[in-house]
Amino acid sequence: MLFRRKSYTINPDMYDTFNHFFHTFLLPNQLTHGASLVGRWVNESRTEIMAMWAYRDLADFEHVDAAIRESEHHQTAQNYRQTLPSLFENSSEDFMESTGNYSTSPYIVAVSGFIQNEAGQVLLVRNEHRSNTYEMPGGRVEPGESMKDAVAREVLEETGIHAEIGDMVGVYQNVTTGVLCLVYRGKWISGSATPNPGETIDAQFVELNETNVADWITREHFATRVFDAMNQGNVAYESYEVRPYRLLERVQG
């Protein structure tokens, strides 16, 4: 493993602003393109913030870094940064290698919702950090939260829709990023589809069928989840890799 230590010197008055910048722009873009955040720390006087990132090797870092710099989200972050010239005073980075494996990394548990309205249309969102595709709303499960509660919360946060969550339809393991996503069907209860700035740039109910899914959902592993949810069969399971996409296993019992 290769580790990158990134440090920022800041004015303590900019601490909350810098944290907002990190969580809104830097963190989602890094995770989307394959970096792993080991941890993030601040000193007692709040004048220095340090983050430690993990990569497979130098080639992996260079691949991730190039993808980030070419992304739309990176450009948005740069534009935001230009409006705050005092966001941080300076920054530095260096690289280190691990001397051994002293811990195991748990999987990230996420959920997603196949939410239909009374007309049978499906709720889709376009995320700020993944703007080249539509997808079903969803996100990470919070500590102490049930899966169904997590789906309902994420749907509401990303779209403004209150939904009744039903049965699970699929389990999807991203071996590359360590994300395990559970997909549930659900029904619209109330609310109008509205994007949430900072998370989604579009949210709408769409008339989907087996012939037009690819017109909306351009990432194959996201499209598969929609196809599975459309069918009323048994729960599906998939494991796959990304960058590039490669299906490892699929079972639909």
Side-chain angles (χ1 to χ4, degrees):
M1 294 290 291
L2 179 72
F3 296 90
R4 179 172 68 105
R5 180 172 58 189
K6 183 75 175 184
S7 299
Y8 296 88
T9 302
I10 67 169
N11 184 316
D13 293 339
M14 297 298 291
Y15 176 71
D16 290 335
T17 302
F18 187 86
N19 279 342
H20 172 76
F21 175 73
F22 178 84
H23 290 105
T24 303
F25 297 105
L26 302 186
L27 179 62
N29 211 15
Q30 289 281 347
L31 296 180
T32 295
H33 291 95
S36 298
L37 180 63
V38 178
R40 188 168 179 263
W41 300 267
V42 63
N43 64 355
E44 187 175 357
S45 60
R46 293 190 171 183
T47 58
E48 183 178 354
I49 294 178
M50 189 270 283
M52 186 73 77
W53 300 92
Y55 310 86
R56 290 192 299 273
D57 48 33
L58 181 60
D60 182 43
F61 162 72
E62 292 174 344
H63 172 79
V64 170
D65 189 57
I68 288 172
R69 293 180 183 279
E70 293 173 0
S71 70
E72 181 180 332
H73 201 61
H74 178 72
Q75 186 57 56
T76 303
Q78 293 304 303
N79 294 339
Y80 179 85
R81 171 76 178 85
Q82 290 175 7
T83 68
L84 292 170
S86 60
L87 185 62
F88 58 88
E89 297 175 3
N90 55 65
S91 65
S92 63
E93 70 176 15
D94 56 359
F95 294 87
M96 294 175 284
E97 293 183 353
S98 172
T99 61
N101 183 11
Y102 304 107
S103 64
T104 58
S105 298
Y107 259 84
I108 297 168
V109 179
V111 291
S112 187
F114 181 81
I115 310 301
Q116 292 180 289
N117 61 15
E118 293 176 327
Q121 296 173 314
V122 179
L123 182 61
L124 296 180
V125 299
R126 192 152 61 97
N127 283 308
E128 286 195 353
H129 65 279
R130 208 162 35 232
S131 60
N132 65 341
T133 184
Y134 280 83
E135 59 191 274
M136 295 181 290
R140 297 189 184 190
V141 178
E142 295 182 350
E145 188 176 41
S146 74
M147 301 296 183
K148 289 188 176 183
D149 286 346
V151 180
R153 175 184 54 77
E154 287 288 347
V155 169
L156 180 61
E157 289 178 356
E158 293 188 355
T159 72
I161 295 294
H162 293 270
E164 176 186 344
I165 308 304
D167 295 334
M168 184 174 66
V169 296
V171 179
Y172 305 88
Q173 179 191 17
N174 187 330
V175 175
T176 304
T177 62
V179 175
L180 187 68
C181 182
L182 287 71
V183 178
Y184 289 78
R185 289 193 189 95
K187 296 180 180 179
W188 170 88
I189 297 176
S190 64
S192 299
T194 306
N196 180 11
E199 289 196 34
T200 53
I201 56 179
D202 191 22
Q204 57 179 296
F205 281 99
V206 175
E207 189 72 40
L208 281 185
N209 55 60
E210 292 190 355
T211 62
N212 73 349
V213 169
D215 295 336
W216 292 90
I217 304 174
T218 60
R219 299 197 182 191
E220 188 171 349
H221 53 294
F222 290 156
T224 299
R225 300 175 190 183
V226 171
F227 284 123
D228 289 340
M230 285 180 173
N231 298 320
Q232 299 296 318
N234 296 323
V235 175
Y237 164 76
E238 277 194 2
S239 63
Y240 58 91
E241 296 174 339
V242 294
R243 297 184 298 273
Y245 172 79
R246 184 169 73 97
L247 180 65
L248 300 177
E249 182 181 8
R250 177 172 172 81
V251 178
Q252 191 158 9

